[in-house]
Amino acid sequence: MTERRAPSGSADPADGILVVDKPSGWTSHDVVGRVRRLAGTRKVGHAGTLDPMATGVLVLGVGRATRLLTYLVGADKEYTATIRLGQATITDDAEGEVTTAVGAPDVSPEAVEAALTDLRGPIEQVPSSVSAIKVDGKRSYARVRGGEEVELAARPVVIHRFDVLDRRTTTAQDGTPVTDLDVVVGCSSGTYVRALARDLGAALGTGGHLTALRRTQVGPFGLDGAADLAALGVAHEEGAPVRLLSLTEACRLAFPVRDLTAEETTAVRYGKRLAPSGRPGTVAVAAPDGHVVALVEDRGEQARPVLVLDPA
């Protein structure tokens, strides 16, 4: 990572991406609040919420890098998780009240694999009702906790990978015999892993919910580059700056890169269009010295700047 810190006495915050390993029990907003204090700026946002129970990769933008988050939030994600078969809960995870407990002491590996097959690839997923999705302007979880029955519409997601790593039979706290599956899930943005646990349990007739969830990857950003919040706090107390990925480093990791001439660089800095990149999706464009000046997307016969990071 490149060190980015505003000069002493400067009103301008640092700009860059910070990848944090979110601890259990923290909301994503809690992490944003902590990083605001550590970085000395309120201009901090995140690229995709993690539930309080979950741990793992949370991508934060600081300063001007908050503008990048719109283009990072849609990245594919990867998780490790534990699914408990034999019990269903109102939240589809271990934080909710158990609603059914039929047990699952002897579900076969073959039955599990058959159910997993139907949950791989492009699917229509109904999100968990206890989610942050708004229904008529009010969060779904707030409606459920207020006693309302909420049915959310299915949405298309893609499950690239859904595999069992390990399994064990155990007994839940209420005495129900259950089977715990340690799984890995690779999926498109917008996927609810809790809903996958629910749907796997439903397909097997046992009920199912998450007991653990850890996000290991968001696009190119993984746990190997994630900072520990406690360590960041200690370093801050000792006067060390928050270490961030620069805008250029983050863009080069997250997007294909197109090199520009000096003339093209000047044009992009003024928001002018270029010849098409010939690549689908968002492309980072770099000045002759190598630093990224903008993100562009092809629109017909031209590449249009969608985010100018280094304006004229």
Side-chain angles (χ1 to χ4, degrees), residues 1 18-22 56-59 214-217 220-229 231-232 243 245:
M1 287 188 180
L18 177 64
V19 182
V20 169
D21 185 351
K22 188 189 85 65
V57 174
L58 187 66
V59 178
R214 182 161 177 75
R215 188 155 68 191
T216 57
Q217 199 80 23
F221 306 107
L223 286 170
D224 55 350
D228 177 86
L229 271 181
L232 282 177
R243 297 175 64 83
L245 284 171

Side-chain angles (χ1 to χ4, degrees), residues 79 112 220 239 276:
Y79 300 85
V112 170

Side-chain angles (χ1 to χ4, degrees), residues 151-187:
E151 290 189 13
L152 298 174
R155 55 179 60 187
V157 297
V158 181
I159 310 303
H160 306 295
R161 183 183 183 192
F162 194 2
D163 297 319
V164 176
L165 303 177
D166 196 12
R167 59 179 287 152
R168 56 199 167 274
T169 300
T170 187
T171 303
Q173 191 172 9
D174 65 358
T176 302
V178 295
T179 296
D180 284 349
L181 305 176
D182 294 332
V183 302
V184 59
V185 177
C187 55

Side-chain angles (χ1 to χ4, degrees), residues 261-280:
T261 65
E263 293 77 14
E264 289 173 325
T265 300
T266 298
V268 166
R269 282 175 167 157
Y270 281 100
K272 295 182 179 179
R273 303 188 179 198
L274 305 171
S277 298
R279 298 177 180 177

Side-chain angles (χ1 to χ4, degrees), residues 43-254:
K43 200 170 184 182
V44 178
H46 63 75
T49 301
L50 272 178
D51 290 336
M53 184 188 83
T55 66
V57 174
L58 187 66
V59 178
L60 303 172
V62 179
R64 288 189 302 136
T66 56
R67 301 167 65 200
L68 272 181
L69 298 178
T70 297
Y71 302 92
L72 298 177
V73 73
D76 286 349
K77 315 291 194 300
E78 188 164 291
Y79 300 85
T80 55
T82 300
I83 296 173
R84 174 156 290 179
L85 300 175
Q87 292 177 319
T89 72
I90 192 170
T91 58
D92 301 326
D93 64 20
E95 296 192 327
E97 177 186 351
V98 174
T99 55
T100 62
V102 301
D106 54 5
V107 60
S108 73
E110 293 77 16
V112 170
E113 178 58 29
L116 289 174
T117 298
D118 290 338
L119 291 171
R120 297 185 185 119
I123 64 171
E124 292 287 324
Q125 183 185 69
V126 177
S128 297
S129 59
V130 183
S131 68
I133 295 172
K134 286 188 175 181
V135 179
D136 295 330
K138 188 176 181 180
R139 300 290 185 189
S140 178
Y141 63 76
R143 291 185 177 276
V144 171
R145 289 169 183 166
E148 295 184 44
E149 292 275 345
V150 176
E151 290 189 13
L152 298 174
R155 55 179 60 187
V157 297
V158 181
I159 310 303
H160 306 295
R161 183 183 183 192
F162 194 2
D163 297 319
V164 176
L165 303 177
D166 196 12
R167 59 179 287 152
R168 56 199 167 274
T169 300
T170 187
T171 303
Q173 191 172 9
D174 65 358
T176 302
V178 295
T179 296
D180 284 349
L181 305 176
D182 294 332
V183 302
V184 59
V185 177
C187 55
S188 63
S189 181
T191 301
Y192 283 82
V193 182
R194 284 184 290 153
L196 289 177
R198 175 201 66 203
D199 293 344
L200 178 62
L204 292 166
T206 64
H209 69 279
L210 281 186
T211 61
L213 180 66
R214 182 161 177 75
R215 188 155 68 191
T216 57
Q217 199 80 23
V218 175
F221 306 107
L223 286 170
D224 55 350
D228 177 86
L229 271 181
L232 282 177
V234 170
H236 179 72
E237 291 298 322
E238 295 175 350
V242 175
R243 297 175 64 83
L244 306 172
L245 284 171
S246 70
L247 294 172
T248 290
E249 290 169 323
C251 287
R252 285 186 172 276
L253 282 172

